[in-house]
Amino acid sequence: MAHSVEIDAPAGVVYGLVADAVRWPLFLPTSVHVERLEFDGVQERLRVWTTASGRRTRSWVSLRLQDPQARRITFRRQHSPAPVETMSGTWTVEEQGDGTSLLTLLHDFTVTGDRGEDLDRVARALDADSAAELAGLKRLAERWHRLDDLVLSFEDAVRVKGPPELVYDFLYRVSDWPGLLPHVTRLELTEDTPGIQAVTAGTRAADGTVHTTESVRICFPHAGRIVHKHTVAPALLAAHTGEWSVLPDETGVTVVSQHSVVLREEAVERVLGPGADLAQARRHVRETLGRDSRTTLQLARRHAESAIRVL
């Protein structure tokens, strides 16, 4: 199968976005999280989590070979989720004469038993997911000269004099948050696969309005990490990813909340009022997400430290 899109951006910019797979969760709507397991500058091994075509979150390992001179990246999945038996393909970026680029995504796949209904189902999913991925890359690449204004990353941290297990326990038990966090009014949690949480939440904004958001959280208890991505984000955000990290040391625990967002430029005035610009939107997002994160961090600290005092 082949899918292509013309992009009004230099080929080098487009290739750079395709090559930077670790940031795909911020760039591509279907990508939830990517861990780079190995990379020697050319060959890389990635663990990928996606919510392709609205299905439940799935994961696999992908091997990729980067060729920046040819602007080509080949990939091959290891142990694809059923019914896919094998999956491989190629990303290619061709420079057009007018300064635009042609981005093409090729897939070759087989399904277990070669069943026609499975072939059709996988083909339909690839059509939808490839279109979404190419549209996401086109949208970002065509704003490449403004990405520094549209993309924002920041973090907040707190020190805890308590066991890291109790801090992680508070962050993991997200279903308890509506009774504890003032900005969470309701929450529905689904965890069909241990450690992969689908969350629908009602979140109260600073002006008192409540918005419904959806997100996926992937939990790594042994590493003290929970990564998350909004699959339905607040109106001002085109994309939002983040991570909770519990980092023990000799004297206590540092708990870090990280956020990365892509601003939805066309929504700035609608959300913040006439005349609002990207600088105001950046300050607003930093303030609101930071405030909610700091509240959560403080409650996680209280949870861990109060339990120690009781013991």
Side-chain angles (χ1 to χ4, degrees):
M1 301 182 66
H3 299 84
S4 299
V5 65
E6 289 190 1
I7 300 177
D8 186 11
V13 170
V14 177
Y15 179 84
L17 292 175
V18 176
D20 193 3
V22 173
R23 300 192 74 189
W24 277 8
L26 197 59
F27 297 158
L28 304 182
T30 58
S31 181
V32 174
H33 183 57
V34 177
E35 296 258 334
R36 177 174 277 156
L37 307 177
E38 298 173 17
F39 187 44
D40 63 6
V42 176
Q43 300 182 69
E44 63 182 335
R45 187 165 160 264
L46 306 169
R47 166 71 73 175
V48 179
W49 287 261
T50 73
T51 55
S53 300
R55 300 188 301 269
R56 64 186 178 88
T57 302
R58 294 189 172 192
S59 177
W60 59 81
V61 172
S62 184
L63 306 177
R64 301 206 316 170
L65 182 64
Q66 297 192 16
D67 186 345
Q69 282 71 39
R71 297 195 183 98
R72 181 176 60 244
I73 297 175
T74 58
F75 62 88
R76 176 173 57 84
R77 287 188 194 175
Q78 293 183 315
H79 312 298
S80 291
V84 176
E85 186 172 50
T86 65
M87 176 76 74
S88 61
T90 307
W91 294 89
T92 58
V93 184
E94 299 174 68
E95 189 167 7
Q96 310 282 73
D98 56 358
T100 64
S101 304
L102 180 66
L103 174 60
T104 301
L105 174 58
L106 304 176
H107 284 97
D108 293 295
F109 71 93
T110 62
V111 298
T112 304
D114 202 30
R115 291 185 293 270
E117 60 270 25
D118 287 337
L119 286 168
D120 290 341
R121 179 155 59 93
V122 174
R124 287 194 301 270
L126 279 178
D127 270 333
D129 299 339
S130 298
E133 291 175 353
L134 293 176
L137 289 167
K138 174 181 172 69
R139 184 168 54 251
L140 275 175
E142 291 184 344
R143 300 180 179 183
W144 67 273
H145 56 291
R146 307 189 65 198
L147 281 185
D148 285 345
D149 295 323
L150 294 171
V151 177
L152 173 65
S153 297
F154 58 91
E155 66 179 43
D156 294 285
V158 67
R159 287 288 293 174
V160 178
K161 295 180 180 178
E165 294 82 4
L166 289 180
V167 178
Y168 184 88
D169 176 67
F170 180 89
L171 298 173
Y172 174 79
R173 289 189 295 105
V174 66
S175 57
D176 294 343
W177 286 8
L180 301 172
L181 298 176
H183 61 276
V184 181
T185 61
R186 65 178 182 85
L187 190 142
E188 300 173 15
L189 171 66
T190 302
E191 191 170 352
D192 294 329
T193 301
I196 299 180
Q197 301 176 331
V199 176
T200 301
T203 304
R204 181 180 289 108
D207 61 3
T209 57
V210 176
H211 307 275
T212 298
T213 61
E214 297 178 13
S215 60
V216 175
R217 299 179 4 131
I218 302 173
C219 306
F220 303 92
H222 297 297
R225 301 171 60 217
I226 299 174
V227 298
H228 55 88
K229 175 178 177 171
H230 266 123
T231 52
V232 177
L236 193 55
L237 305 182
H240 174 210
T241 64
E243 178 173 336
W244 301 97
S245 304
V246 182
L247 308 171
D249 56 41
E250 295 82 359
T251 61
V253 178
T254 300
V255 192
V256 181
S257 172
Q258 299 172 305
H259 294 277
S260 292
V261 304
V262 178
L263 297 174
R264 193 185 304 275
E265 187 172 10
E266 61 273 20
V268 170
E269 292 195 54
R270 174 164 49 87
V271 174
L272 299 181
D277 58 16
L278 283 176
Q280 290 173 267
R282 291 171 68 88
R283 289 193 297 269
H284 175 80
V285 169
R286 177 63 179 97
E287 178 184 345
T288 55
L289 286 181
R291 182 184 61 242
D292 293 345
S293 290
R294 290 189 296 273
T295 299
T296 306
L297 290 171
Q298 293 295 340
L299 286 171
R301 178 170 68 177
R302 187 183 308 168
H303 174 74
E305 293 181 347
S306 62
I308 290 299
R309 286 197 296 271
V310 170
L311 292 176

